[in-house]
C-alpha cells in the first residue's frame, strides 16, 4: 500500500504516515510514535495479496523484467496489452522506463507471464513477422542496456 492509501484508511495525514514509514539512518535511534498513530496504522486490514483491485504502488522492476521476457519470447506489446486490459503504450512504459506501477497491474503481469512464457505466440494468432519483429526489438533493448 502507498503512504496515501495508508493515510486515507487510517484517517491520518500523508505527511505523518511518510514520517512513520521513513527508516532511521544508520546509527540513529528509532523515532517515538504516538500510540494513537500506531493503533490507527496497525488497525488497517491488509488487502489480500492476490486481490485484483489491490491498492497502492509497487516497484516496476519485476514487472519490467517479466514483460521483457515475454517480448524476447515473441509476444508483442499489443497482444500483452489486450490480455492485461491496458494500452500498448502502458506495456511499453512499464517494460522500458516506468519506476512504479499499481499493485493490481503488477499482479496481472506476473500471472500473464506465468501463463504465456512457455507458449509459442504463433499458436495464439500472432503473425510470424510480428513475432520476429518483437524478438529483434527485445534483443536491441537488451544490447542497449548491456552496453549502457
Amino acid at each position: 500500500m502507498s503512504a496515501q492509501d495508508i493515510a486515507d484508511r487510517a484517517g491520518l495525514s500523508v505527511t505523518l504516515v511518510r514520517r512513520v514509514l521513513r527508516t532511521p539512518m544508520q546509527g540513529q535511534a528509532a523515532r517515538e510514535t504516538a500510540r494513537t498513530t500506531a493503533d490507527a496504522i496497525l488497525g488497517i486490514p491488509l488487502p489480500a495479496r492476490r486481490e485484483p483491485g489491490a491498492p497502492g504502488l509497487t516497484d516496476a522492476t519485476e514487472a519490467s523484467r517479466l514483460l521483457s521476457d515475454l517480448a524476447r519470447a515473441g509476444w508483442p506489446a499489443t497482444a500483452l496489452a489486450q490480455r492485461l486490459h491496458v494500452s500498448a503504450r502502458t506495456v511499453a512504459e512499464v517494460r522500458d522506463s516506468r519506476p512504479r506501477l499499481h499493485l493490481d497491474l503488477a499482479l496481472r503481469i506476473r500471472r500473464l507471464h506465468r501463463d504465456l512464457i512457455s507458449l509459442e505466440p504463433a499458436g495464439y494468432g500472432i503473425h510470424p513477422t510480428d513475432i520476429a519483429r518483437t524478438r529483434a526489438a527485445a534483443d536491441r533493448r537488451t544490447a542497449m542496456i548491456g552496453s549502457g
Side-chain angles (χ1 to χ4, degrees):
M1 294 174 68
S2 70
Q4 186 66 59
D5 292 328
I6 295 168
D8 291 345
R9 289 172 185 226
L12 302 170
S13 76
V14 71
T15 305
L16 177 58
V17 171
R18 285 189 180 122
R19 199 173 304 136
V20 169
L21 292 174
R22 198 172 303 129
T23 56
M25 298 277 250
Q26 184 73 24
Q28 278 186 334
R31 288 182 291 280
E32 294 289 323
T33 302
R35 177 168 297 282
T36 54
T37 301
D39 289 345
I41 292 172
L42 294 173
I44 299 171
L46 291 176
R49 181 111 169 103
R50 303 238 182 251
E51 182 181 317
L57 298 174
T58 187
D59 183 68
T61 304
E62 179 190 15
S64 175
R65 182 184 58 76
L66 297 175
L67 290 173
S68 294
D69 285 351
L70 288 169
R72 282 190 298 276
W75 290 96
T78 52
L80 299 175
Q82 188 175 29
R83 286 171 167 81
L84 291 168
H85 305 290
V86 297
S87 70
R89 180 183 175 113
T90 298
V91 170
E93 285 177 357
V94 170
R95 183 191 62 218
D96 298 334
S97 64
R98 189 177 287 184
R100 298 186 317 162
L101 73 157
H102 285 276
L103 182 58
D104 65 318
L105 179 55
L107 294 172
R108 291 193 328 253
I109 290 170
R110 187 182 298 157
R111 244 179 267 121
L112 184 68
H113 181 271
R114 183 191 63 222
D115 294 344
L116 297 182
I117 195 63
S118 63
L119 304 176
E120 181 56 42
Y124 293 84
I126 309 296
H127 196 276
T129 55
D130 291 336
I131 295 169
R133 186 179 312 117
T134 301
R135 286 178 176 159
D139 289 342
R140 282 193 303 277
R141 276 191 303 278
T142 302
M144 285 184 352
I145 292 170
S147 66

